Amino acid sequence: MTFSRRSFLAGSSALALSSAPIIGRAQGSDKIIFASILDLSGGLDIYGAPMAETTKMAIDDINAAGGLLGREVELKLYDAQSTIQFYTQYATQAAAGDRAHTVHAGITSASREAIRPTLARFKTLYFYNTQYEGGVCDYNCFCTGSTPAQTVAKVVPYAMNKWGKKVYIVAADYNYGQITAQWMQKFVAENGGETLDVEFFPLDVTNFGPTINKIQTAKPDFVISALVGGAHVSFYRQYAAAGMMKEIPIASTTFGVGNEQKLISAEEGDGIIASYSYFEGADNAVNTEFLQRLEARLGADRPVMNELAVRSYEGAMLWAEAVKMAGTPDRDPVIEALRSGLTYNGPSGAVTIDAQTNHCNMNVYISELKDQTWNIVESFTDQPPADTQLVCDLVANPDQSTFLFENGLAAAGIE
Amino acid sequence: MDLVVAVLFQLIYVIANLALISLGLAIIFGMMRVINLAHGEFLMLGGYTVVVATNMGINIWVSMLILAPLVVGIIGVIVERLLIRWLYGRMVDTLLATWGLSLLLVGIVTSIFGASTATTVSPPLGAVRIGAYSASGYELFLILITIALLVAVWLTLRYTKLGLLARGTMQNAEMASSLGVSTSRIYMITFGLGAAVSGLAGGLLAPMTGVLPTIGATYIAKAFITVISGGASILAGTTVGSILLGGINGIFSFIAGSTFGEIALLLAAIILLRLMPRGITGRFFRKSL
C-alpha cells in the first residue's frame, strides 16, 4: 500500500473524529475545575504564599459542605515563580488543558494584563483578587480587590489631616505604581494639598539612600508609598535606619499586603498608616470564626491575614455562590448570576458585585501599625469602585475586554 | 552646606557599597580568572548566615564579622575542591559550572528557608546627624569597614608570604610550581579567601537590604561591571571602578531618580570599555596591585 498525503489526511482525520468523544467525556467528568495561578516563589511570594493558603482553604470548605451541585471541586494550583512568562503558559494550560471552569490568578497588574486576554479568548471565567489601580473593563473578568477610589481616597485625606498638606510620593516603576501615583496626586490636589515630588523605582532596586536624601531636602509633611516586592522592603529599613520614621511619617497603599510589618522590626514600622478592605481587626463574627479555623488548620505560626489573602478566599466563595445560583458551572450563566448583584458575607464584611464594572462594593478600613500589628482607626462600609465607574459601563456595553487606565488617567479622560 | 555633606556622604556610601560587593569577585575573577557566576549566591549565603545566627541568639556583630566570612569561606573551599580545581584555564567552562552552582545554591536555600524574605535583622546602629539632615549610622560603619577591608587585602597581598605566593602563582603557575610552591593549595586558599570576602560583604549588607534566595541576582551584574571596568589590578581597579561608576550612579540617582542612576552606570561602563577595553588599570595605575 502506498502512503499518499491524501490517505494520511483521511486516516488522521478519522483518528481525530474517533478521539473526539473521549475529550467530550473528560469535559463532562464529575469534578468542577478551579485553577489558581499565583507567585509562590521569587520576589513576589510575600503576596502569593498566603493567597494560596486561603485559596486551598476555600476549596476545602466548599468540598466539606458537599461540593457544588453535588460535584467535587478540584483545585489546580500553579506557581508562576514571579515570572510573567509562566503566567501566560499556565493560563493557557488551565483554560485549554485543564478546561478549568474558573481561573483565579495574578498578583501584579503586569501579570493580570498578561493573562486577561488569553482567558477572554478561551472564554474562561477570570477572577483577579488583588487590590490594584482600577480601570479593567472586561465582561469575562471580575476584579474583587479594592481600587484607589476605595482606599487611596480614604488614606490621603486621613494622613493630610493628621500630618499636613505637603506630600512626597514613592512608587514601583510599572503600571500599578505609575497609575496609583497619578491617583495619589489627584486626591492630594482635591484635598487642597501639594505633591512635592514623585519618584519611581524598578522592582530590583535595593539602595534608597539618594531618595532618602531628597526626601530630607524636600521636607514633606509625610511620604506616601506604593512600593512593591521583597527588594523594596529595603526602603522602610533604610528610612528607619536614617532616623526618618519619627521625623517624616509614612502612609502606604502597598505596605502590609505582603505582611511587610513582619519583615521589619517593631521600632522601624511603628506609626505607618495604610488602608485596605481587610485587616485582622475587622470586627465581625465571620472574621473571628474564619481566623479560628485558619489557626486550627495552619497552626499558631499561620501567616497574618491581609486583603489579598482574605479576598482570595472571598473571591472563591463569590464564584461558588454564583455556581449554586446558576445551577451550572458553565461560564455564561455563572457570569449572569454574579452580575445580578451577588453578595457574599466574608471576613472583611459584605462584598457585593457591581454589575456596571464587574468590581465589588466592599468595606474599607484605615489602620495604624504598632508593634507589628495593625490597629483599625477608621472604617467605611459598602464603598463603590467609583474610579472604574467613571469610565466603564458593562451594563450598557457588555462586549468589552479592555484595561482603560493602560496609558494613565489623562488618556482615560480623568482630570 | 548640610545638603552638600549629606549628598556627599550618600555618594561615598554608594561607592563603598559597590566596592564591598565587588571585592570578593575581584579576587576570584580578577586574580584567578574564574568567571564566578555564583558570586551573588556567596553574598546571599553570607546574608543567610547572619539571619540564622542572630535568630539563634548569637550577637549580631559576631555573626556579621566572624561567622559570615567563616561559613562562606569554608563553602568556597569545598566548592573549589569539588568543582573549580578541574577547570583552571578554561574560562568558558568555569562560567557554565558556576552558573550551575548558582542555580543549585538558590535551589538549596529556597528548599531549606522557603522562598520568602527571611529576616528581621535590623541595622544595629542608630542615626547620625549631619546638620539639618540625618543619615544611617550603619551606612557610616559600612563605609569604614569597606576601607578597612581594602587595606587588609592590600596588606595581605603586598606584605605577607601568602600574598607573594598567590601573586606569583596567578602570574605563572608552572614557574611557581617548579620553585616548589604547592599551586593547588594556593588556588584553594585564594578561592576560599575570595569567597570569605564575599560572605562578609553579604553578611554586612543583610541588615540594610534583607535577604532572599534570589537576592544575588541584584548584585552580580554590578559586581562584574565594576571588576571588568576596573581592569587587571584587582585592588586599584576595584577601587577606581567603584569610585567612577558608583559616583556616576549616585549623582544621577540624586538628580533624576534611581532608574536613571542605573542607566547612567551602565552607559558609563559601555563607554569606558569602548575607550579602554582592558579596563581603567589596563591604561592607568598599571604597576599597582
Side-chain angles (χ1 to χ4, degrees), chain A residues 163 215-216 219-223 239-240 242-250, chain B residues 127-129 131-135:
Chain A
W163 293 321
I215 293 173
Q216 295 188 352
K219 297 193 174 55
D221 292 319
F222 67 99
V223 173
Y239 196 80
M244 295 289 294
M245 220 50 123
K246 287 175 192 67
E247 297 190 12
I248 303 173
I250 293 183
Chain B
V128 290
R129 303 284 327 172
Y133 292 82
S134 66

PDB file of all heavy atoms in Angstrom, chain A residues 163 215-216 219-223 239-240 242-250, chain B residues 127-129 131-135:
ATOM      1  N   TRP A 163      -1.102  64.836  59.546  1.00  0.00           N
ATOM      2  CA  TRP A 163       0.296  65.243  59.453  1.00  0.00           C
ATOM      3  C   TRP A 163       0.543  66.550  58.712  1.00  0.00           C
ATOM      4  O   TRP A 163       1.535  67.220  58.953  1.00  0.00           O
ATOM      5  CB  TRP A 163       1.115  64.138  58.767  1.00  0.00           C
ATOM      6  CG  TRP A 163       1.206  62.877  59.578  1.00  0.00           C
ATOM      7  CD1 TRP A 163       1.351  62.802  60.932  1.00  0.00           C
ATOM      8  CD2 TRP A 163       1.157  61.535  59.101  1.00  0.00           C
ATOM      9  NE1 TRP A 163       1.402  61.488  61.314  1.00  0.00           N
ATOM     10  CE2 TRP A 163       1.295  60.691  60.216  1.00  0.00           C
ATOM     11  CE3 TRP A 163       1.022  60.959  57.831  1.00  0.00           C
ATOM     12  CZ2 TRP A 163       1.292  59.307  60.110  1.00  0.00           C
ATOM     13  CZ3 TRP A 163       1.034  59.589  57.729  1.00  0.00           C
ATOM     14  CH2 TRP A 163       1.165  58.770  58.860  1.00  0.00           C
ATOM     15  N   ILE A 215      14.240  63.290  50.058  1.00  0.00           N
ATOM     16  CA  ILE A 215      13.063  63.495  50.911  1.00  0.00           C
ATOM     17  C   ILE A 215      13.400  64.484  52.017  1.00  0.00           C
ATOM     18  O   ILE A 215      12.624  65.387  52.330  1.00  0.00           O
ATOM     19  CB  ILE A 215      12.575  62.141  51.487  1.00  0.00           C
ATOM     20  CG1 ILE A 215      12.032  61.266  50.359  1.00  0.00           C
ATOM     21  CG2 ILE A 215      11.507  62.349  52.550  1.00  0.00           C
ATOM     22  CD1 ILE A 215      11.687  59.853  50.772  1.00  0.00           C
ATOM     23  N   GLN A 216      14.614  64.339  52.588  1.00  0.00           N
ATOM     24  CA  GLN A 216      15.017  65.267  53.655  1.00  0.00           C
ATOM     25  C   GLN A 216      15.138  66.690  53.126  1.00  0.00           C
ATOM     26  O   GLN A 216      14.857  67.655  53.826  1.00  0.00           O
ATOM     27  CB  GLN A 216      16.348  64.826  54.252  1.00  0.00           C
ATOM     28  CG  GLN A 216      16.248  63.491  54.959  1.00  0.00           C
ATOM     29  CD  GLN A 216      17.507  63.118  55.718  1.00  0.00           C
ATOM     30  OE1 GLN A 216      18.520  63.769  55.607  1.00  0.00           O
ATOM     31  NE2 GLN A 216      17.435  62.066  56.491  1.00  0.00           N
ATOM     32  N   LYS A 219      11.552  68.131  52.520  1.00  0.00           N
ATOM     33  CA  LYS A 219      10.815  68.340  53.773  1.00  0.00           C
ATOM     34  C   LYS A 219       9.301  68.231  53.614  1.00  0.00           C
ATOM     35  O   LYS A 219       8.565  69.173  53.923  1.00  0.00           O
ATOM     36  CB  LYS A 219      11.168  69.696  54.382  1.00  0.00           C
ATOM     37  CG  LYS A 219      12.629  69.820  54.776  1.00  0.00           C
ATOM     38  CD  LYS A 219      12.844  71.056  55.649  1.00  0.00           C
ATOM     39  CE  LYS A 219      14.256  71.123  56.164  1.00  0.00           C
ATOM     40  NZ  LYS A 219      15.274  71.076  55.061  1.00  0.00           N
ATOM     41  N   PRO A 220       8.782  67.095  53.143  1.00  0.00           N
ATOM     42  CA  PRO A 220       7.326  66.928  53.079  1.00  0.00           C
ATOM     43  C   PRO A 220       6.760  66.700  54.483  1.00  0.00           C
ATOM     44  O   PRO A 220       7.527  66.417  55.418  1.00  0.00           O
ATOM     45  CB  PRO A 220       7.170  65.666  52.235  1.00  0.00           C
ATOM     46  CG  PRO A 220       8.411  64.883  52.520  1.00  0.00           C
ATOM     47  CD  PRO A 220       9.509  65.886  52.733  1.00  0.00           C
ATOM     48  N   ASP A 221       5.429  66.826  54.618  1.00  0.00           N
ATOM     49  CA  ASP A 221       4.805  66.511  55.905  1.00  0.00           C
ATOM     50  C   ASP A 221       4.700  64.997  56.088  1.00  0.00           C
ATOM     51  O   ASP A 221       4.706  64.505  57.203  1.00  0.00           O
ATOM     52  CB  ASP A 221       3.429  67.157  55.999  1.00  0.00           C
ATOM     53  CG  ASP A 221       3.544  68.668  56.072  1.00  0.00           C
ATOM     54  OD1 ASP A 221       4.447  69.142  56.779  1.00  0.00           O
ATOM     55  OD2 ASP A 221       2.763  69.363  55.396  1.00  0.00           O
ATOM     56  N   PHE A 222       4.538  64.272  54.970  1.00  0.00           N
ATOM     57  CA  PHE A 222       4.614  62.813  55.042  1.00  0.00           C
ATOM     58  C   PHE A 222       4.930  62.231  53.675  1.00  0.00           C
ATOM     59  O   PHE A 222       4.845  62.921  52.655  1.00  0.00           O
ATOM     60  CB  PHE A 222       3.322  62.208  55.615  1.00  0.00           C
ATOM     61  CG  PHE A 222       2.096  62.348  54.756  1.00  0.00           C
ATOM     62  CD1 PHE A 222       1.662  61.303  53.950  1.00  0.00           C
ATOM     63  CD2 PHE A 222       1.349  63.517  54.780  1.00  0.00           C
ATOM     64  CE1 PHE A 222       0.531  61.433  53.174  1.00  0.00           C
ATOM     65  CE2 PHE A 222       0.205  63.650  54.008  1.00  0.00           C
ATOM     66  CZ  PHE A 222      -0.204  62.602  53.202  1.00  0.00           C
ATOM     67  N   VAL A 223       5.347  60.966  53.684  1.00  0.00           N
ATOM     68  CA  VAL A 223       5.668  60.239  52.456  1.00  0.00           C
ATOM     69  C   VAL A 223       4.555  59.234  52.227  1.00  0.00           C
ATOM     70  O   VAL A 223       4.083  58.603  53.172  1.00  0.00           O
ATOM     71  CB  VAL A 223       7.009  59.490  52.605  1.00  0.00           C
ATOM     72  CG1 VAL A 223       7.268  58.592  51.400  1.00  0.00           C
ATOM     73  CG2 VAL A 223       8.150  60.476  52.795  1.00  0.00           C
ATOM     74  N   TYR A 239      15.057  53.810  55.578  1.00  0.00           N
ATOM     75  CA  TYR A 239      14.383  55.021  56.038  1.00  0.00           C
ATOM     76  C   TYR A 239      14.414  55.069  57.565  1.00  0.00           C
ATOM     77  O   TYR A 239      14.733  56.099  58.166  1.00  0.00           O
ATOM     78  CB  TYR A 239      12.944  55.003  55.529  1.00  0.00           C
ATOM     79  CG  TYR A 239      12.227  56.326  55.582  1.00  0.00           C
ATOM     80  CD1 TYR A 239      12.450  57.286  54.605  1.00  0.00           C
ATOM     81  CD2 TYR A 239      11.306  56.610  56.589  1.00  0.00           C
ATOM     82  CE1 TYR A 239      11.785  58.487  54.633  1.00  0.00           C
ATOM     83  CE2 TYR A 239      10.633  57.808  56.625  1.00  0.00           C
ATOM     84  CZ  TYR A 239      10.872  58.751  55.642  1.00  0.00           C
ATOM     85  OH  TYR A 239      10.212  59.946  55.681  1.00  0.00           O
ATOM     86  N   ALA A 240      14.122  53.928  58.181  1.00  0.00           N
ATOM     87  CA  ALA A 240      14.146  53.862  59.644  1.00  0.00           C
ATOM     88  C   ALA A 240      15.573  53.991  60.164  1.00  0.00           C
ATOM     89  O   ALA A 240      15.829  54.678  61.158  1.00  0.00           O
ATOM     90  CB  ALA A 240      13.517  52.561  60.132  1.00  0.00           C
ATOM     91  N   ALA A 242      17.966  55.646  58.991  1.00  0.00           N
ATOM     92  CA  ALA A 242      18.408  57.041  58.922  1.00  0.00           C
ATOM     93  C   ALA A 242      17.657  57.903  59.941  1.00  0.00           C
ATOM     94  O   ALA A 242      17.783  59.127  59.943  1.00  0.00           O
ATOM     95  CB  ALA A 242      18.205  57.592  57.512  1.00  0.00           C
ATOM     96  N   GLY A 243      16.848  57.268  60.788  1.00  0.00           N
ATOM     97  CA  GLY A 243      16.134  58.003  61.825  1.00  0.00           C
ATOM     98  C   GLY A 243      14.982  58.845  61.307  1.00  0.00           C
ATOM     99  O   GLY A 243      14.556  59.801  61.943  1.00  0.00           O
ATOM    100  N   MET A 244      14.463  58.484  60.110  1.00  0.00           N
ATOM    101  CA  MET A 244      13.464  59.336  59.459  1.00  0.00           C
ATOM    102  C   MET A 244      12.044  59.039  59.915  1.00  0.00           C
ATOM    103  O   MET A 244      11.160  59.892  59.809  1.00  0.00           O
ATOM    104  CB  MET A 244      13.538  59.134  57.943  1.00  0.00           C
ATOM    105  CG  MET A 244      14.837  59.592  57.325  1.00  0.00           C
ATOM    106  SD  MET A 244      14.956  61.360  57.347  1.00  0.00           S
ATOM    107  CE  MET A 244      13.610  61.751  56.229  1.00  0.00           C
ATOM    108  N   MET A 245      11.803  57.794  60.388  1.00  0.00           N
ATOM    109  CA  MET A 245      10.445  57.386  60.691  1.00  0.00           C
ATOM    110  C   MET A 245       9.778  58.338  61.685  1.00  0.00           C
ATOM    111  O   MET A 245       8.581  58.604  61.603  1.00  0.00           O
ATOM    112  CB  MET A 245      10.498  55.960  61.249  1.00  0.00           C
ATOM    113  CG  MET A 245       9.418  55.026  60.796  1.00  0.00           C
ATOM    114  SD  MET A 245       9.127  54.940  59.038  1.00  0.00           S
ATOM    115  CE  MET A 245       9.364  53.216  58.720  1.00  0.00           C
ATOM    116  N   LYS A 246      10.559  58.858  62.642  1.00  0.00           N
ATOM    117  CA  LYS A 246       9.976  59.732  63.652  1.00  0.00           C
ATOM    118  C   LYS A 246       9.830  61.157  63.139  1.00  0.00           C
ATOM    119  O   LYS A 246       9.051  61.941  63.663  1.00  0.00           O
ATOM    120  CB  LYS A 246      10.838  59.703  64.913  1.00  0.00           C
ATOM    121  CG  LYS A 246      10.695  58.405  65.661  1.00  0.00           C
ATOM    122  CD  LYS A 246      11.631  58.321  66.846  1.00  0.00           C
ATOM    123  CE  LYS A 246      11.676  56.906  67.379  1.00  0.00           C
ATOM    124  NZ  LYS A 246      12.313  55.965  66.426  1.00  0.00           N
ATOM    125  N   GLU A 247      10.597  61.521  62.098  1.00  0.00           N
ATOM    126  CA  GLU A 247      10.565  62.905  61.612  1.00  0.00           C
ATOM    127  C   GLU A 247       9.524  63.104  60.530  1.00  0.00           C
ATOM    128  O   GLU A 247       8.761  64.058  60.550  1.00  0.00           O
ATOM    129  CB  GLU A 247      11.944  63.302  61.087  1.00  0.00           C
ATOM    130  CG  GLU A 247      12.975  63.272  62.201  1.00  0.00           C
ATOM    131  CD  GLU A 247      14.289  63.887  61.770  1.00  0.00           C
ATOM    132  OE1 GLU A 247      14.334  64.522  60.703  1.00  0.00           O
ATOM    133  OE2 GLU A 247      15.268  63.715  62.506  1.00  0.00           O
ATOM    134  N   ILE A 248       9.530  62.224  59.522  1.00  0.00           N
ATOM    135  CA  ILE A 248       8.564  62.329  58.429  1.00  0.00           C
ATOM    136  C   ILE A 248       7.847  60.987  58.312  1.00  0.00           C
ATOM    137  O   ILE A 248       8.420  60.009  57.859  1.00  0.00           O
ATOM    138  CB  ILE A 248       9.277  62.686  57.100  1.00  0.00           C
ATOM    139  CG1 ILE A 248      10.064  63.985  57.250  1.00  0.00           C
ATOM    140  CG2 ILE A 248       8.264  62.786  55.978  1.00  0.00           C
ATOM    141  CD1 ILE A 248      10.925  64.329  56.055  1.00  0.00           C
ATOM    142  N   PRO A 249       6.578  60.917  58.754  1.00  0.00           N
ATOM    143  CA  PRO A 249       5.880  59.622  58.781  1.00  0.00           C
ATOM    144  C   PRO A 249       5.510  59.119  57.387  1.00  0.00           C
ATOM    145  O   PRO A 249       5.594  59.853  56.403  1.00  0.00           O
ATOM    146  CB  PRO A 249       4.640  59.910  59.609  1.00  0.00           C
ATOM    147  CG  PRO A 249       4.451  61.376  59.539  1.00  0.00           C
ATOM    148  CD  PRO A 249       5.777  61.997  59.312  1.00  0.00           C
ATOM    149  N   ILE A 250       5.090  57.849  57.322  1.00  0.00           N
ATOM    150  CA  ILE A 250       4.784  57.188  56.051  1.00  0.00           C
ATOM    151  C   ILE A 250       3.356  56.658  56.037  1.00  0.00           C
ATOM    152  O   ILE A 250       2.884  56.086  57.011  1.00  0.00           O
ATOM    153  CB  ILE A 250       5.748  56.003  55.808  1.00  0.00           C
ATOM    154  CG1 ILE A 250       7.172  56.503  55.595  1.00  0.00           C
ATOM    155  CG2 ILE A 250       5.309  55.168  54.611  1.00  0.00           C
ATOM    156  CD1 ILE A 250       8.163  55.407  55.281  1.00  0.00           C
TER     157      ILE A 250
ATOM    158  N   ALA B 127      20.814  56.568  64.024  1.00  0.00           N
ATOM    159  CA  ALA B 127      21.049  57.575  63.007  1.00  0.00           C
ATOM    160  C   ALA B 127      22.155  58.534  63.441  1.00  0.00           C
ATOM    161  O   ALA B 127      22.412  58.705  64.625  1.00  0.00           O
ATOM    162  CB  ALA B 127      19.765  58.346  62.745  1.00  0.00           C
ATOM    163  N   VAL B 128      22.835  59.136  62.454  1.00  0.00           N
ATOM    164  CA  VAL B 128      23.782  60.205  62.772  1.00  0.00           C
ATOM    165  C   VAL B 128      23.269  61.512  62.159  1.00  0.00           C
ATOM    166  O   VAL B 128      22.660  61.498  61.099  1.00  0.00           O
ATOM    167  CB  VAL B 128      25.208  59.915  62.233  1.00  0.00           C
ATOM    168  CG1 VAL B 128      25.851  58.788  63.008  1.00  0.00           C
ATOM    169  CG2 VAL B 128      25.176  59.596  60.757  1.00  0.00           C
ATOM    170  N   ARG B 129      23.514  62.624  62.873  1.00  0.00           N
ATOM    171  CA  ARG B 129      23.028  63.906  62.371  1.00  0.00           C
ATOM    172  C   ARG B 129      24.090  64.564  61.506  1.00  0.00           C
ATOM    173  O   ARG B 129      25.263  64.551  61.832  1.00  0.00           O
ATOM    174  CB  ARG B 129      22.708  64.866  63.529  1.00  0.00           C
ATOM    175  CG  ARG B 129      21.701  64.374  64.535  1.00  0.00           C
ATOM    176  CD  ARG B 129      20.273  64.423  64.094  1.00  0.00           C
ATOM    177  NE  ARG B 129      19.897  65.514  63.196  1.00  0.00           N
ATOM    178  CZ  ARG B 129      18.704  65.579  62.606  1.00  0.00           C
ATOM    179  NH1 ARG B 129      17.813  64.646  62.813  1.00  0.00           N
ATOM    180  NH2 ARG B 129      18.401  66.575  61.820  1.00  0.00           N
ATOM    181  N   GLY B 131      23.958  68.193  60.410  1.00  0.00           N
ATOM    182  CA  GLY B 131      23.205  69.448  60.415  1.00  0.00           C
ATOM    183  C   GLY B 131      21.715  69.160  60.417  1.00  0.00           C
ATOM    184  O   GLY B 131      21.204  68.469  61.288  1.00  0.00           O
ATOM    185  N   ALA B 132      21.016  69.681  59.411  1.00  0.00           N
ATOM    186  CA  ALA B 132      19.575  69.504  59.341  1.00  0.00           C
ATOM    187  C   ALA B 132      19.195  68.112  58.818  1.00  0.00           C
ATOM    188  O   ALA B 132      18.031  67.765  58.799  1.00  0.00           O
ATOM    189  CB  ALA B 132      18.972  70.576  58.441  1.00  0.00           C
ATOM    190  N   TYR B 133      20.192  67.353  58.385  1.00  0.00           N
ATOM    191  CA  TYR B 133      19.904  66.050  57.790  1.00  0.00           C
ATOM    192  C   TYR B 133      20.270  64.942  58.763  1.00  0.00           C
ATOM    193  O   TYR B 133      21.085  65.128  59.654  1.00  0.00           O
ATOM    194  CB  TYR B 133      20.695  65.879  56.491  1.00  0.00           C
ATOM    195  CG  TYR B 133      20.205  66.801  55.418  1.00  0.00           C
ATOM    196  CD1 TYR B 133      20.624  68.119  55.387  1.00  0.00           C
ATOM    197  CD2 TYR B 133      19.293  66.365  54.473  1.00  0.00           C
ATOM    198  CE1 TYR B 133      20.145  68.985  54.421  1.00  0.00           C
ATOM    199  CE2 TYR B 133      18.817  67.216  53.514  1.00  0.00           C
ATOM    200  CZ  TYR B 133      19.244  68.526  53.482  1.00  0.00           C
ATOM    201  OH  TYR B 133      18.769  69.370  52.535  1.00  0.00           O
ATOM    202  N   SER B 134      19.671  63.775  58.540  1.00  0.00           N
ATOM    203  CA  SER B 134      20.124  62.639  59.314  1.00  0.00           C
ATOM    204  C   SER B 134      20.424  61.493  58.357  1.00  0.00           C
ATOM    205  O   SER B 134      19.807  61.373  57.310  1.00  0.00           O
ATOM    206  CB  SER B 134      19.073  62.236  60.346  1.00  0.00           C
ATOM    207  OG  SER B 134      17.926  61.773  59.692  1.00  0.00           O
ATOM    208  N   ALA B 135      21.424  60.710  58.709  1.00  0.00           N
ATOM    209  CA  ALA B 135      21.792  59.582  57.867  1.00  0.00           C
ATOM    210  C   ALA B 135      21.953  58.374  58.762  1.00  0.00           C
ATOM    211  O   ALA B 135      21.999  58.484  59.984  1.00  0.00           O
ATOM    212  CB  ALA B 135      23.082  59.883  57.124  1.00  0.00           C
TER     213      ALA B 135
END
